[in-house]
């Protein structure tokens, strides 16, 4: 991975997005559905794109919104639709476009008051709370966000009645019908003016902020945090939770300092990520330079990405924790401090998360359920309580309420952040210190990830990697114990390949949201062993990319 010279520094003026041009392109540029890159395409987290290259424009949003309306009719989903936006520049116009379609189709829509931004977990929480105890008239939702992606990007995600990210069968249906509408020049799209949509009897205001904030003590021990006087710092990174954090501090009387409430759609206050792009990624040490510099001012500090479904934890003892370290520490703490969770409640992890989680699970006597990349794989388990925790290596997680009931079925960046303070309040140790205890007991893994540009055609090849392409019986000097193209936890296709040994593994897969591929690797035997794993993994990927169809 080549680190850009700007990484970790504030962005120069010339790399900031021209927001006026970006929004103009949203309305003026018309995608050509005959070009693959300009069609609606749902990845692991909805449709994402950029208005300059005609991959996220008004036509896309109108078509997707109409397709969702038709899907709702087909499935007899006739309760309210909860909708919210993050602080990306394209989110606001996308909300306008979608409301014009939703209102024209007679959908009961719930929007935040006075244009308030809405974190992804607040929408999942709202859907689940509304649907509790109901069997008909169920609610669903739309989240308008490209997550932590650069300021020029837009994103549009559908959450069905289970409150979580839509499964592939749903997104494929919506994708196909949206593209058919694009191909037909949007003739099948129903639409009224934005002014009429706001005044429509089906458009309602919903207080996402207070409904979410006032319920937080059902999932986090707020009394313990307050009584212990834990000094917390939070950087919302200019994202959708910018007004939630002050409300949390006030509601629960916490010693919580909000570092900034600035919202600026250029995100000029962000330090540049590893590749020279502005990216609101709370797990990146380059993007998190501002908060890392303040680590000694607080007992614990944290940040969330733009839609607040990812977390970053900064401790005085170690700085920014790698996501896998914090997931391991959080799991270790939760399953020993939630007495009302069922004894057979399991741990959910993605196949590219650390093997340390498996070792922690074995120590706790809890089953570990390993699934493909994508939070949608945890939804059913969180709903029925069979999973107490679902976590992704990319710093996304959610977990059950203290009583063992479902909290959210989408990633929630706020509760892992607050959990880090609860850990200090209850144990007197920060999560990084807890992780070091685990590493001393069970071995200390090191990890790395390679990512590089890949065309859609190359990504398609990578997604079809097969066990037969691994000719060797060993990896980095150890016997191969498994070659996987399906996840062991649910037998679902992983869209790539994972190779494991006793003390290491790698997984290769294309990104579902960006034109890149990723190789994840981990070793419990040190840096040289890890490098050997990566080198051999790279050879396999190179061979796949160069192969002829």
């Amino acid at each position: 991975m080549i680190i850009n010279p700007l990484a970790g520094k504030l962005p120069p003026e010339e790399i900031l997005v021209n927001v006026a041009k970006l929004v103009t392109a949203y309305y003026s540029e018309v995608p050509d559905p005959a070009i693959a890159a300009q069609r609606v395409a749902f990845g692991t987290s909805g449709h994402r794109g950029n208005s300059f290259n005609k991959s996220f424009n008004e036509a896309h949003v109108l078509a997707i919104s109409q397709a969702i309306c038709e899907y709702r009719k087909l499935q007899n989903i006739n309760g309210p639709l909860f909708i919210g936006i993050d602080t990306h520049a394209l989110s606001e116009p996308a909300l306008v476009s979608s409301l014009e379609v939703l209102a024209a189709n007679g959908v009961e829509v719930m929007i935040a008051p006075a244009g308030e931004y809405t974190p992804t977990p607040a929408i999942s929480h709202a859907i689940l709370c509304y649907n509790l105890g109901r069997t008909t008239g169920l609610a669903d939702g739309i989240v308008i966000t490209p997550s932590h992606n650069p300021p020029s990007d837009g994103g549009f995600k559908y959450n069905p009645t289970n409150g979580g990210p839509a499964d592939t069968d749903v997104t494929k249906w919506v994708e196909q019908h949206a593209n058919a509408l694009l191909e037909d020049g949007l003739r099948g799209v129903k639409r009224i003016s934005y002014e009429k949509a706001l005044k429509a009897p089906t458009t309602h205001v919903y207080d996402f902020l207070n409904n979410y904030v006032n319920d937080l003590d059902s999932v986090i021990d707020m009394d313990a945090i307050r009584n212990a006087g834990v000094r917390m710092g939070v950087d919302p990174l200019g994202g959708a939770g910018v007004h939630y954090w002050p409300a949390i501090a006030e509601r629960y009387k916490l010693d919580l300092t909000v570092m900034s409430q600035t919202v600026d759609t250029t995100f000029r206050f962000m330090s540049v990520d590893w590749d020279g792009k502005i990216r609101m990624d709370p797990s990146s040490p380059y993007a998190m330079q501002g908060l890392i510099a303040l680590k000694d001012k607080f007992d614990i500090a944290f940040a969330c990405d733009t839609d607040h479904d990812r977390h970053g934890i900064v401790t005085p003892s170690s700085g920014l924790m790698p996501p896998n370290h914090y997931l391991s520490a959080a799991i270790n703490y939760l399953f020993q401090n939630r007495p009302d969770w069922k004894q057979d409640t399991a741990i959910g992890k993605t196949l590219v998360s650390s093997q340390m989680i498996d070792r922690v699970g074995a120590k706790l006597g809890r089953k570990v359920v390993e699934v493909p990349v994508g939070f949608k794989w945890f939804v059913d388990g969180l709903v029925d309580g069979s999973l107490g925790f679902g976590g992704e290596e990319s710093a996304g997680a959610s977990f059950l309420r203290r009583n063992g009931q479902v909290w959210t079925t989408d990633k929630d960046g706020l509760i892992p952040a607050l959990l880090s303070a609860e850990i200090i309040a209850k144990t007197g140790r920060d999560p990084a210190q807890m992780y070091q205890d685990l590493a001393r007991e069970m071995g200390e893994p090191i990890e790395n990830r390679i990512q590089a540009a890949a065309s859609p055609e190359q990504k398609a090849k990578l997604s079809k990697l097969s066990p037969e392409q691994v000719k060797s019986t060993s990896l980095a000097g150890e016997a191969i114990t498994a070659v996987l193209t399906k996840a062991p936890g649910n037998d679902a296709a992983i869209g790539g390949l994972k190779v494991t040994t006793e003390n290491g593994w790698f997984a290769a897969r294309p990104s579902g949201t960006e034109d890149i591929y990723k190789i994840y690797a981990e070793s419990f035997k040190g840096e040289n062993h890890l490098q050997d794993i990566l080198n051999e993994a790279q050879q396999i990927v190179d061979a796949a990319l160069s192969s002829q169809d």
Side-chain angles (χ1 to χ4, degrees), residues 63-98:
I64 296 169
S65 299
Q66 183 64 43
I68 288 172
C69 291
E70 293 172 10
Y71 177 79
R72 296 179 96 244
K73 287 180 183 176
L74 185 70
Q75 299 296 322
N76 197 29
I77 300 170
N78 50 25
L81 183 145
F82 293 89
I83 188 168
I85 63 171
D86 75 356
T87 56
H88 276 79
L90 290 177
S91 295
E92 194 81 49
L95 176 65
V96 171
S97 303
S98 59

Side-chain angles (χ1 to χ4, degrees), residues 526-547:
E527 187 63 47
N528 290 339
H529 186 242
L530 177 66
Q531 196 56 52
D532 288 343
I533 292 174
L534 283 168
N535 290 340
E536 293 183 30
Q538 185 71 70
Q539 291 171 14
I540 293 170
V541 172
D542 288 344
L545 289 177
S546 61
S547 66

Side-chain angles (χ1 to χ4, degrees), residues 318 322 325 328 354-356 359 432-433 435-447 503-504 522-527 529-530:
S318 73
H325 291 198
S328 300
S354 176
Q355 270 186 354
M356 176 63 93
R359 297 187 181 193
Q433 293 168 325
Y435 180 80
Q436 286 306 315
D437 291 342
L438 293 172
R440 279 189 288 270
E441 180 183 350
M442 290 177 278
E444 184 162 11
I446 57 172
E447 62 187 68
N503 291 296
E522 183 178 59
S523 169
F524 278 81
K525 294 179 66 177
E527 187 63 47
H529 186 242
L530 177 66

